[in-house]
Amino acid sequence: MPGVSIRLLGPFEVRLPDRTVQIASKRQRALLASLALQPGRIVSVEILTERIWGADLPSSPREAVQNNVHRLRRLLGPEQGGLVRNVVDGYVLDVGPDQVDASRFAGLVHDAERAAVDEPERARELLRAALELWRGEPLGDVASDSLQRDHAPALTERYLAAVERRIDLDLALGDRAPSTLIAELRVLTSRFPVREPLWERLLTVLIADRRQAEALEAYESVRKIVADTLGADPSAALRRLHRQLLDGDPEPERVTPRQLPPTPAGFAGRTAELGALDEELARWSGSGLALVAIHGVGGAGKSALAVHWARLRQDRFSDGQLYLDLHGYGPGRPITAEAALGRLLRSIGTPPDRVPNDAGEAAALLRTLLAGRRMLLLLDNAHDAGHVRSLLPGSDCFVIVTSRSDLRGLAARDGAHRLALRELPDDDALALLTTAIPWHRAEAEPDALAELARLCGRLPLALRIAAELGSQYPDRSLADLVDDLRQRRSPLDALADSDPGADLRTVFSWSYDLLPQDLARAFSHLGCYPGSDIGLPGAAALLDVAPATARDLLDRLAAVHLLERHRPGRYRLHDLLREYAGERLAADRPEAGAAALRRVLDWYLRAAGKARIALGFSRPISLTGSVGETAVPLPDLPDSGAASEWFETERSTLVAAVAAAADHGLPDHGWQLASEIRDFLDRARYFPDWLAAGRSGLECAEQLGDPLAGYQAAFVLGGAYSITGAYEEADATLRQALRNAERLGDTAKISRALSLLGLVWQRAEDYDRALAYHRQAEVAARPEPYAVVRAHALLNYGATQIVAGRCADALGNTREALEIYQEHGLELQEACAWTNLAAAYQGTADYPTALDHCEKALAISLRLADVSGQVESLTTQGEIQLAMGRPDAARASWEEARGLLRPADPNHASLDQLLRGLSC
């Protein structure tokens, strides 16, 4: 949104093109500040909830966040309605990085760091521009414990690092008067008295300006402050400056090691991670210890990233670069602490006969010899935090550790900044493939190249192997290579190699073979979990353990990167690791897979049924066939908002579970699960998922040959065909449902099938045919027990009458449906009826009544957190407002509706078209 600026580096401020917005609500300030810290990027509902409410969570977090977003949009005004945009997993602030001062500051500092070597004067100007953005304490009046704890100190740290770097450039360029620098540094040391790097620079300038007495006085001041505040001695750099003041002791001549391996061939991408390492370097003053832990699954490219970055920045480490492969994972045993310390000590010039045999003494000597030396230490392939702790210098070094372990202990105890490596983004994966595959071949077959990246799971090692395969046979098309990968029993077969370090199975086995028995069992069982997004209850059912035990097992697997924690309580299994886990399950526990999958499907089927009822749908589906009970507690779903949130979280797994049931001989589970999730997929507009689940569900029903299963599965798939415009397929499938309903002699099912056939032909604009089906559906449902079924038929009948231009006729049918829904307490359907009545009144030009009914529908949908209902009400409201000659109000309604939708939703394009029409 052009013209918008948000200021976080001082008092919180929001400026629009024509005004400054005063946001009085502390929750809305916390909400907008949280989004502004990550402009243009998704911030999940879970994160927003923590930042707005802290530990005092609302009963329905997603609904509470949504209500605050709604109020914030109204405060910003209709012209900024799209500033805060809904996405699938959270919200996005639709501004560029330069429109938020904190992001602009980070960008300027990053540019300065890149310019520092070749253009120091430009680097200094960039830092000055960055520092001018600061107006006081960051996030000063944002009342959020989370932001004040986790983000404000980090922003202040970046500010101080930028100040120190700018002063270093002043000293290097030598064009500022010492007195000016001394005055500035005295102010800074007064504001930040325990910030030793500022004192180091003050002493350096005082010594250079031959003001020894003042330098001694400054040293005594910082010595006393550090002792009184921290109970410690000043830093090694300060003590060295003090010795220089007293007697000018020269530093002994030292070996300068240059041990970095060659720059990795074929490195591509990782721009964000390289930037994160640059940021850590920018924050490092050169006098303290900087510690970065790069962690990720085997094959993620941890070593390649570390070495590539180290080569790019080796000039920043004037005293040398040390490299040591610790062999934490791989063939053979990990290097012991004693052996590692010996190698490091000898690398910096310690005679072999002076290397202590005792590990503690050797570690102390290493810290002593590295003190005061600006060095890079790269400790590659560590087993865990304990493997490297004794190797860490005391200060003055920049240390990078790589490991398959998540190294949480190194962060908690030693202050490491953890950098997780996951699979590459799509563009980076394609770029890596084209480092070996000539560009003209890649350009000629872009779809095959993209599919090759997908089959490799965008894992760097797999991509490099595939790229080499593609380059070995220049006459073979990439499409042939993709077909070969697909036809193999497992993609791991095609990605095998005689070199153990380049063979994915071998690389994965180095992690698996070190697992204790309980973790090995858990990991292998995950190979039959439906989908790659894993929740704790589903995992508990799979493993036949309590949820708390499942959490412990999954957390331990995540700690060694055989699993990824991608949000609270949710885990993700990489596709290639899933293949490997399935292979190990078949080899080590061949009898366990079928029972484990059945337990998972039992749980998901019962949980989805509970969620569907909580969502507001009236018809419980009686489970039949071979569905079993579950020992794992079902989710607590007190209202429709909680049910919708559960469905959103589990959606991909539920769809995958229907497919797994069809593929693995569990048809009773498959068709019933497709029925349970159909209403959610419809309301939330996940049409491709609806189609996929419907097809798998019908496949299950056909395996059984049962009319009830055949009716329900065809009903689900027919609705999906209808909503996606495949009208002939919808008609054929729903006639199949109708035939099964007639075989069952079930009047309600007959009515539902007829009503849905009416909607098919309404969408196809064959209104006479549609209305005929609706009349039959309404008549079929007239017997007393079927009141709600008749209400559905009446509602659909009225909807078709509205689009056919028979709005006066639609009023009676829709009012009658509304009364039945109200009588039975069906609020979700009541909101639909109010929206349809509004459209009917619009068609009769009774605009005030139409608007009133829209507001009633919207109020219900907001309370139920029903996004689909909100979109329908807001869209209809905009149409009524435009008919009343209020285009600005219509624009606001449609922009709010569009903000609730995913860009891929067909209604998003429809709303875009409506909004463009207003501009004509």
Side-chain angles (χ1 to χ4, degrees):
M1 288 277 176
V4 176
S5 69
I6 298 174
R7 306 174 80 183
L8 306 175
L9 304 180
F12 181 66
E13 190 174 282
V14 181
R15 292 184 177 181
L16 302 182
D18 57 344
R19 60 195 170 98
T20 297
V21 180
Q22 300 299 324
I23 300 178
S25 165
K26 66 179 184 179
R27 289 177 180 167
Q28 288 160 36
R29 282 202 304 274
L31 168 64
L32 189 52
S34 298
L35 294 170
L37 283 166
Q38 297 175 263
R41 293 168 60 190
I42 297 172
V43 183
S44 70
V45 171
E46 290 85 355
I47 290 174
L48 290 173
T49 302
E50 180 195 3
R51 292 182 182 170
I52 297 171
W53 287 279
D56 188 20
L57 295 178
S59 58
S60 180
R62 185 175 292 273
E63 181 180 350
V65 171
Q66 187 180 43
N67 288 337
N68 275 278
V69 169
H70 186 71
R71 296 185 192 108
L72 180 60
R73 284 178 178 144
R74 291 191 181 279
L75 185 62
L76 294 172
E79 67 279 4
Q80 303 298 334
L83 186 62
V84 179
R85 183 162 50 85
N86 299 59
V87 292
V88 174
D89 295 321
Y91 294 86
V92 172
L93 183 65
D94 200 4
V95 297
D98 282 353
Q99 292 174 265
V100 180
D101 58 359
S103 295
R104 179 164 172 72
F105 170 82
L108 289 166
V109 170
H110 183 261
D111 292 345
E113 201 55 48
R114 288 182 176 273
V117 175
D118 299 324
E119 302 175 89
E121 291 185 357
R122 178 172 173 269
R124 182 172 62 178
E125 289 308 310
L126 288 167
L127 287 170
R128 283 175 174 166
L131 294 169
E132 285 174 0
L133 297 171
W134 284 75
R135 299 169 294 113
E137 293 295 324
L139 303 168
D141 53 355
V142 177
S144 165
D145 292 342
S146 172
L147 291 176
Q148 295 298 333
R149 179 187 67 243
D150 298 334
H151 290 274
L155 290 169
T156 300
E157 175 63 29
R158 291 171 195 165
Y159 165 76
L160 290 170
V163 169
E164 289 160 3
R165 186 67 179 129
R166 197 225 70 224
I167 290 170
D168 289 343
L169 288 169
D170 287 336
L171 293 171
L173 292 167
D175 58 357
R176 283 193 69 191
S179 58
T180 305
L181 278 172
I182 290 167
E184 180 183 5
L185 283 162
R186 289 195 187 280
V187 171
L188 287 167
T189 52
S190 174
R191 285 181 60 199
F192 305 99
V194 296
R195 181 83 177 184
E196 291 177 283
L198 292 173
W199 289 97
E200 291 164 17
R201 286 160 176 77
L202 176 58
L203 263 69
T204 299
V205 181
L206 288 169
I207 292 169
D209 203 34
R210 300 182 181 279
R211 295 162 70 166
Q212 275 80 358
E214 292 178 59
L216 286 168
E217 183 181 346
Y219 178 81
E220 183 57 26
S221 296
V222 68
R223 186 199 65 76
K224 189 173 187 310
I225 289 169
V226 171
D228 292 346
T229 307
L230 305 177
D233 293 329
S235 68
L238 281 169
R239 295 198 306 274
R240 189 167 59 253
L241 288 168
H242 185 233
R243 285 197 305 272
Q244 182 182 338
L245 276 168
L246 296 175
D247 54 23
D249 275 349
E251 289 290 325
E253 189 172 336
R254 295 166 175 169
V255 173
T256 303
R258 308 287 184 191
Q259 296 184 338
L260 292 176
T263 300
F267 185 88
R270 296 296 189 200
T271 304
E273 291 83 359
L274 291 169
L277 287 165
D278 280 343
E279 288 182 12
E280 288 302 308
L281 182 60
R283 280 195 282 267
W284 180 53
S285 65
S287 59
L289 175 67
L291 181 56
V292 179
I294 302 175
H295 57 103
V297 67
K302 302 176 292 296
S303 301
L305 170 68
V307 172
H308 180 78
W309 180 84
R311 281 288 182 186
L312 289 175
R313 300 288 176 259
Q314 58 187 333
D315 59 300
R316 295 293 305 277
F317 306 102
S318 54
D319 292 321
Q321 306 96 39
L322 289 164
Y323 173 86
L324 184 58
D325 184 350
L326 296 169
H327 295 286
Y329 293 85
R333 295 179 178 274
I335 292 179
T336 64
E338 292 83 358
L341 287 163
R343 291 189 190 183
L344 292 172
L345 286 167
R346 290 190 293 274
S347 296
I348 56 175
T350 307
D353 59 344
R354 295 190 183 180
V355 174
N357 293 322
D358 179 77
E361 292 179 10
L365 178 60
L366 181 68
R367 290 192 295 270
T368 299
L369 295 178
L370 291 181
R373 303 184 69 176
R374 188 183 180 97
M375 294 185 71
L376 171 69
L377 174 56
L378 175 46
L379 301 173
D380 198 15
N381 194 14
H383 181 70
D384 54 23
H387 199 186
V388 298
R389 189 164 282 122
S390 63
L391 310 181
L392 299 179
S395 61
D396 307 314
C397 290
F398 194 102
V399 181
I400 299 176
V401 181
T402 74
S403 180
R404 297 187 191 188
S405 164
D406 64 6
L407 300 175
R408 286 183 177 272
L410 211 59
R413 183 170 157 186
D414 304 283
H417 172 79
R418 295 166 64 247
L419 182 60
L421 280 202
R422 298 180 174 87
E423 62 268 28
L424 289 169
D426 290 334
D427 289 346
D428 288 356
L430 297 177
L432 195 155
L433 286 172
T434 55
T435 60
I437 296 172
W439 178 246
H440 70 274
R441 292 183 63 198
E443 195 171 33
E445 298 184 82
D447 293 341
L449 192 75
E451 181 63 7
L452 185 59
R454 188 193 69 78
L455 289 171
C456 292
R458 306 196 311 279
L459 192 70
L461 177 58
L463 290 164
R464 282 195 292 272
I465 297 169
E468 287 303 319
L469 288 172
S471 66
Q472 284 174 12
Y473 305 102
D475 296 331
R476 185 184 184 193
S477 72
L478 295 180
D480 285 345
L481 176 59
V482 168
D483 287 342
D484 184 41
L485 279 169
R486 284 179 177 149
Q487 290 168 13
R488 298 291 185 104
R489 179 182 62 84
S490 164
L492 297 175
D493 291 337
L495 299 172
D497 195 277
S498 58
D499 176 3
D503 179 83
L504 275 175
R505 276 198 186 91
T506 304
V507 169
F508 291 161
S509 74
W510 290 340
S511 294
Y512 180 81
D513 291 344
L514 292 174
L515 295 176
Q517 185 175 355
D518 61 338
L519 284 192
R521 175 186 178 274
F523 174 74
S524 64
H525 273 63
L526 292 175
C528 70
Y529 194 91
S532 57
D533 183 32
I534 300 166
L536 281 174
L542 178 88
L543 301 174
D544 201 16
V545 298
T549 303
R551 181 189 293 276
D552 175 67
L553 291 166
L554 299 188
D555 282 345
R556 289 162 63 198
L557 287 171
V560 292
H561 283 284
L562 287 173
L563 200 61
E564 177 194 346
R565 268 185 303 261
H566 67 102
R567 50 183 164 159
R570 305 297 299 183
Y571 302 79
R572 191 169 67 90
L573 185 63
H574 190 279
D575 289 344
L576 293 175
L577 277 171
R578 175 184 167 81
E579 287 286 341
Y580 181 71
E583 289 182 3
R584 297 309 295 246
L585 182 65
D588 302 343
R589 303 165 182 85
E591 75 293 340
L597 179 59
R598 181 183 291 274
R599 288 193 299 270
V600 175
L601 295 183
D602 285 340
W603 186 85
Y604 269 112
L605 191 46
R606 294 185 180 281
K610 181 177 181 181
R612 180 178 167 279
I613 297 303
L615 204 57
F617 291 97
S618 62
R619 304 185 312 276
I621 297 172
S622 299
L623 300 179
T624 65
S626 61
V627 177
E629 298 295 333
T630 179
V632 178
L634 298 180
D636 180 23
L637 304 171
D639 53 35
S640 61
S644 180
E645 191 169 348
W646 183 85
F647 269 123
E648 288 284 354
T649 300
E650 298 287 359
R651 173 177 56 87
S652 64
T653 303
L654 290 163
V655 175
V658 182
D663 292 341
H664 296 284
L666 295 169
D668 282 322
H669 293 76
W671 75 263
Q672 292 177 95
L673 187 54
S675 299
E676 294 285 15
I677 66 177
R678 178 252 188 215
D679 290 315
F680 166 74
L681 296 174
D682 178 10
R683 295 299 295 170
R685 316 187 76 80
Y686 288 110
F687 302 144
D689 286 342
W690 186 0
L691 270 173
R695 288 174 176 140
S696 298
L698 188 58
E699 181 182 341
C700 288
E702 288 170 347
Q703 291 175 25
L704 291 167
D706 175 70
L708 174 61
Y711 161 77
Q712 199 67 46
F715 186 83
V716 171
L717 181 57
Y721 279 140
S722 172
I723 203 74
T724 54
Y727 303 125
E728 295 298 336
E729 293 89 340
D731 183 76
T733 307
L734 289 168
R735 285 181 179 279
Q736 182 180 345
L738 183 59
R739 287 193 296 273
N740 279 303
E742 290 168 343
R743 283 177 62 194
L744 292 166
D746 189 319
T747 302
K749 289 179 172 57
I750 291 169
S751 175
R752 292 191 190 102
L754 289 166
S755 186
L756 194 47
L757 279 163
L759 288 178
V760 170
W761 295 110
Q762 174 211 308
R763 293 184 178 113
E765 299 183 2
D766 187 342
Y767 299 128
D768 290 338
R769 190 173 179 181
L771 290 168
Y773 274 124
H774 287 310
R775 278 192 293 273
Q776 293 178 59
E778 189 273 329
V779 170
R782 284 181 183 175
E784 182 61 32
Y786 305 118
V788 173
V789 176
R790 181 165 175 266
H792 297 336
L794 287 165
L795 186 70
N796 292 336
Y797 197 173
T800 300
Q801 289 171 320
I802 291 168
V803 297
R806 306 177 188 180
C807 294
D809 295 337
L811 289 172
N813 286 329
T814 310
R815 279 199 203 97
E816 193 171 355
L818 174 66
E819 290 167 3
I820 296 171
Y821 290 142
Q822 289 174 328
E823 181 182 345
H824 287 78
L826 300 176
E827 289 191 293
L828 194 70
Q829 293 81 359
E830 180 187 345
C832 293
W834 282 120
T835 301
N836 284 13
L837 272 177
Y841 277 112
Q842 177 195 352
T844 63
D846 186 350
Y847 301 131
T849 302
L851 273 181
D852 174 72
H853 290 354
C854 264
E855 289 171 3
K856 289 176 179 175
L858 187 58
I860 295 171
S861 296
L862 279 169
R863 186 170 68 254
L864 298 181
D866 175 26
V867 172
S868 182
Q870 292 170 52
V871 170
E872 291 170 8
S873 299
L874 288 165
T875 303
T876 302
Q877 180 174 281
E879 292 168 351
I880 297 165
Q881 290 163 333
L882 185 63
M884 296 173 70
R886 297 166 55 191
D888 290 342
R891 181 186 302 278
S893 295
W894 289 339
E895 285 182 343
E896 186 174 352
R898 185 178 61 178
L900 295 168
L901 292 171
R902 297 176 298 280
D905 191 306
N907 274 7
H908 195 282
S910 300
L911 285 161
D912 276 339
Q913 188 173 356
L914 288 172
L915 288 164
R916 283 195 298 272
L918 289 176
S919 304
C920 296

